[in-house]
Amino acid sequence: MKYKILIIIVLGTLFTSIIYFYTDKDNLNVLALGDGISTGMTSYHIEGYDYNEYLVEFLNENKQLEHYYKNFNEVDETASSLLNKINNNIENIDKKIKLKQAIKEADIITLTLGMDELNNYAKKSNLGSTKISGYLNKYEEVIKALRKLNNKDIYLIGVYETTLLNEAKVKKINEELNNLCKQYNMTYIDIEDITEYTEYFISKKEYYLNYKGQEYIFNKIKDTFEIPTINVI
């Protein structure tokens, strides 16, 4: 009898959690920050469907979306330029909201920096340890600025290998980004293996993704907040 009661309690708790997650949870504000990867920029220099839009679509389908703050992210965004945006508290032309307010109100922040900055730099000069260290230091300043204003969910998307950014550098950078996420209680999204899927890229020479690659990133994010399956024997 006690065993049956325990099963009923477990199933009841699980069912209640699922109902809460999908129906009773307050609607969420989403803020997208980052470079061309976050805007869905393609090798044709046209912005396509990005992982943030997949995320917003998912939340809409589950009636969980309140606001989506976009257009704070842009192609060729660097850690330094984003930090300046935060410090200068720029205004969003669509929502008529300033960046610091959007950061404060966000329940979910997605953050992608490095693919444009590091690859653009490597086109002009040698991408050595000094530049990488400077990028990581400035990235941490961005994270500190975000955490001063927001203690909720921040998803930091890592970098991946390109013709200009080799595997060894990618692994070192992602290791440091992962450590920053642990230090500042953020969720690190590892997409280092995305280059294994040629169908996610329009061109082998370009690092920008097609819609399949963007959906891949979204699924990586979604996997972190899906309710795990619980088997009751």
Side-chain angles (χ1 to χ4, degrees), residues 106-124:
D107 299 289
I108 294 174
I109 297 176
T110 63
L111 181 60
T112 309
L113 290 170
M115 292 305 296
D116 281 344
E117 178 173 357
L118 297 175
N119 281 281
N120 286 341
Y121 186 89
K123 289 177 183 177
K124 303 173 184 177

Side-chain angles (χ1 to χ4, degrees), residues 43-208:
S43 56
Y44 298 124
H45 303 289
I46 298 173
E47 292 183 359
Y49 211 70
D50 61 68
Y51 64 83
N52 292 294
E53 290 171 308
Y54 280 109
L55 173 60
V56 167
E57 180 183 347
F58 172 79
L59 294 175
N60 257 327
E61 289 174 353
N62 289 284
K63 303 186 187 308
Q64 288 181 267
L65 182 69
E66 185 69 27
H67 293 298
Y68 172 37
Y69 302 124
K70 59 180 181 177
N71 294 331
F72 285 118
N73 54 339
E74 63 179 309
V75 178
D76 294 332
E77 186 82 279
T78 67
S80 294
S81 64
L82 177 54
L83 185 62
N84 287 336
K85 282 182 176 180
I86 297 172
N87 290 335
N88 293 326
N89 199 20
I90 67 167
E91 186 175 61
N92 184 305
I93 58 174
D94 288 342
K95 292 291 183 180
K96 299 299 182 183
I97 186 172
K98 291 192 174 183
L99 180 52
K100 287 186 178 180
Q101 189 62 34
I103 293 171
K104 289 178 182 178
E105 293 183 3
D107 299 289
I108 294 174
I109 297 176
T110 63
L111 181 60
T112 309
L113 290 170
M115 292 305 296
D116 281 344
E117 178 173 357
L118 297 175
N119 281 281
N120 286 341
Y121 186 89
K123 289 177 183 177
K124 303 173 184 177
S125 182
N126 176 53
L127 183 61
S129 58
T130 301
K131 170 58 183 176
I132 292 174
S133 294
Y135 150 77
L136 290 169
N137 290 336
K138 193 63 67 173
Y139 209 149
E140 184 172 10
E141 290 186 46
V142 170
I143 292 170
K144 287 180 180 178
L146 292 176
R147 274 296 181 229
K148 284 182 180 179
L149 299 168
N150 185 295
N151 63 356
K152 296 180 182 177
D153 294 330
I154 300 178
Y155 296 87
L156 187 154
I157 293 88
V159 300
Y160 50 88
E161 186 179 356
T162 71
T163 55
L164 297 170
L165 191 59
N166 65 42
E167 182 181 2
K169 291 175 181 178
V170 164
K171 288 189 177 300
K172 178 60 178 176
I173 292 168
N174 282 334
E175 181 182 346
E176 294 299 325
L177 293 179
N178 194 12
N179 288 335
L180 286 174
C181 285
K182 292 175 181 177
Q183 182 179 349
Y184 292 95
N185 192 28
M186 297 162 54
T187 301
Y188 173 68
I189 304 298
D190 183 4
I191 60 169
E192 199 170 310
D193 65 348
I194 198 169
T195 52
E196 296 176 10
Y197 305 94
T198 56
E199 66 269 27
Y200 293 166
F201 298 84
I202 297 174
S203 169
K204 293 181 179 180
K205 297 180 180 180
E206 295 282 345
Y207 59 83
Y208 283 133

